[in-house]
Amino acid sequence: MVANESVRKFVKEAAAMCRPDDVVWCDGSEEERERLTRVAIRVGDLIPLDQQTLPGCYLHRSAANDVARTEHLTFVCSREQDDAGPSNNWMAPDEAYDRLGRIFDGSMAGRTLYVVPFLMGPAGSPFSKVGIELTDSVYVALSMRAMTRMGNVALEHLGDSDDFTRGLHSKADLHIDRRFICHFPEENTIWSVGSGYGGNALLAKKCMALRLASALGAREGWLAEHMMIVGIESPEGETTYVCGALPSACGKTNLAMLVPPESMKGWRVFTVGDDIAWLRVGDDGRLWAVNPEAGFFGVVPGTNSRTNPNAMRTIQQNTIFTNVGLKPDGGVWWEGHDDPVPRSVTDWRGRSWNASKQGTVAHPNSRFTVPAGECPSISPERENPNGVPISAILFGARRQKLVPLVYQAFDWAHGTFLGATLASETTAAATGAVGVVRRDPMAMLPFCGYNMGDYWNHWLSMGKRLTRPPKIFRVNWFQRDDRGGFLWPGFGENLRVLRWVIERSRDRGTADESPIGYLPKPSDIDCNGADLPDGAMSRLLHVDRDGWRTNLRSQSEFFEKFGDRLPAGIREQHDGLRQRLRAG
Ligand code: OXD
Ligand code: MN
């Protein structure tokens, strides 16, 4: 029995409301993993895969209506609506507790409540935070084990403090009408009901490490960001840490696990994190980052040995696959796999796909969940309690036109503006139309737990405290030609762009000044050995001034939504861009 009084009280009160048959406290041990896996197989939450070729790997099939984050059912429940801001759904805290309380009431009858203590960030780090998730899903408990430092390690970090995130989760009846994901930033609390999907149900991830942590960071003077973190070692042995924000399903995991192209001998890339970064100003005036997570929850379709060889090796063992295809030999398959479509395969819903050939074999948002330690490129610095010093920040998004392959912000405030004006074509990671351009500032639109105007202000104020700020860049791997083909090969080749980024972040390397920022000349990006048609680099780096003038209007329309919470510093940047485009 756990000694911490506040934890016990939290569990007791939740159990009184949800009325489970049983309460199981998770300690994070190996014995427990085996026991919970047996339970998950028995209740049908996990299907064992072929244990010879995929040891420790299982398939999970979710309910067909529960395959992605449901942003329209996600709420920030701050006391004042203005504190949630125009980009979040808001519900008054009392109303949220009342509405969700009715669904939680008795929802765990006949089920087990798992108490999942978890630590976000390395053990012993001043960066790290503790949460307790109470869940009636054994799949969630096992996934949290892969994604966080789970069990006793978290309780030890907590000691007798009551400073922990209180997360309550029940699948309830998985009905969309009774699905809500509610965040209470002032009470460090999350209530999530009616979904078993990772982004809604693994409360450590989007709910705590981004939505609650972003609000907490604003109060405590740090940033919680939707960013991957990598260390890039040059042939001379110099390592540069870069973090990068890209919207969901835009290749953050591929970038985090990048394998250098053949022709870039001597370069190495180390993965620190693939999705979330917590950033603080160090005593040395630099920006320091930790990855609060301990695992990867990556998008499966399109993953293969060309796009992400490290991920392919990572998911050969100890992986939970969700909503991929199952082969008769206990192997898995998805669209974009190295192997051709198998002669016989069961689709993500458990139907024979070869008979129906309806829809895709794997769901477009099917996922792998795997501990970070399985990744061959994992950085030894991942466990450093101080984090890693960041030299460059990338903001990337999916844009077929307009946005060049790479350009650099003039300074931190301009970089904040580049983040604030990020827009991307939507993907399958959230329910809704795919391929529509939407504004997604800092790739945080679905994850910023407070008013985005205040968030931009916080970004600007962080810049004032950084005496050695990282340089900020906008990247776009996704430009298309007139026939719809990609102009840039992407994946491992992105290191060519990162090489220029590293040079610039070390005050070396050349660039031209343009109205939108510093642009490399085509010859500044080393394309030796890349399969790029003549003139492609000039097109990739072209600034379409008319397009940018039109874009100014859409930026203003978006900013107007924030009224007087829009910082003057952002308005000034927008005016500056307008003037530079007029002059140009
Ligand atoms: C994710 C997401 O799962 O951004 O990381 O949706
Ligand atoms: Mn993400």
Side-chain angles (χ1 to χ4, degrees), residues 1-13 25:
M1 176 56 81
V2 165
N4 184 306
E5 269 303 321
S6 316
V7 175
R8 282 176 33 194
K9 182 163 177 282
F10 170 50
V11 175
K12 197 166 154 207
E13 287 172 2
W25 293 74

Side-chain angles (χ1 to χ4, degrees), residues 23-304:
V23 175
V24 168
W25 293 74
C26 295
D27 60 15
S29 66
E30 196 48 36
E31 178 278 319
E32 175 182 88
R33 186 179 71 85
E34 285 166 16
R35 182 164 34 87
L36 297 191
T37 302
R38 282 196 300 276
V39 172
I41 294 169
R42 199 179 62 235
V43 301
D45 266 13
L46 293 184
I47 300 170
L49 295 169
D50 175 34
Q51 296 298 303
Q52 294 292 313
T53 52
L54 295 167
C57 294
Y58 298 89
L59 170 65
H60 171 76
R61 290 196 184 116
S62 74
N65 75 348
D66 188 27
V67 290
R69 285 182 289 98
T70 35
E71 291 176 10
H72 62 297
L73 304 173
T74 300
F75 294 83
V76 170
C77 306
S78 46
R79 267 171 241 135
E80 301 296 328
Q81 181 163 6
D82 251 9
D83 291 338
S87 58
N88 280 309
N89 301 313
W90 177 80
M91 210 189 286
D94 287 350
E95 184 191 344
Y97 284 128
D98 185 54
R99 277 175 82 177
L100 275 69
R102 286 167 207 262
I103 308 171
F104 275 117
D105 191 16
S107 64
M108 297 188 189
R111 300 180 186 174
T112 298
L113 184 163
Y114 296 94
V115 180
V116 182
F118 59 92
L119 177 65
M120 300 306 279
S125 167
F127 278 80
S128 298
K129 304 270 178 206
V130 172
I132 311 281
E133 173 162 0
L134 311 182
T135 177
D136 58 2
S137 161
V138 67
Y139 161 77
V140 166
L142 282 164
S143 301
M144 287 287 287
R145 189 180 196 283
M147 294 302 298
T148 70
R149 295 153 178 96
M150 183 258 245
N152 292 343
V153 60
L155 292 171
E156 277 156 25
H157 190 98
L158 185 64
D160 55 12
S161 162
D162 73 346
D163 182 13
F164 61 92
T165 299
R166 287 157 171 79
L168 178 60
H169 167 252
S170 171
K171 292 181 292 181
D173 63 1
L174 291 177
H175 197 291
I176 190 104
D177 290 348
R178 284 177 288 285
R179 181 174 303 164
F180 294 97
I181 299 95
C182 287
H183 305 73
F184 305 86
E186 285 118 353
E187 282 142 47
N188 199 6
T189 293
I190 306 151
W191 278 19
S192 165
V193 68
S195 167
Y197 172 73
N200 294 333
L202 308 183
L203 301 186
K205 193 173 181 60
K206 303 303 183 183
C207 300
M208 176 193 173
L210 286 178
R211 295 196 191 96
L212 289 189
S214 59
L216 190 65
R219 293 200 292 271
E220 293 180 355
W222 53 282
L223 289 166
E225 294 298 325
H226 193 202
M227 288 180 179
M228 62 97 217
I229 313 166
V230 282
I232 304 173
E233 191 187 284
S234 71
E236 292 73 38
E238 184 182 68
T239 301
T240 308
Y241 289 95
V242 176
C243 49
L246 286 100
S248 308
C250 285
K252 270 202 314 298
T253 304
N254 295 344
L255 190 58
M257 297 183 187
L258 185 151
V259 174
E262 273 296 305
S263 54
M264 289 185 74
K265 293 261 178 292
W267 288 85
R268 294 169 73 190
V269 176
F270 295 96
T271 311
V272 181
D274 82 323
D275 195 43
I276 298 177
W278 285 357
L279 305 168
R280 287 175 200 257
V281 181
D283 294 339
D284 58 0
R286 288 193 289 175
L287 189 68
W288 289 76
V290 297
N291 169 16
E293 300 190 281
F296 306 119
F297 178 64
V299 177
V300 175
T303 304
N304 58 50

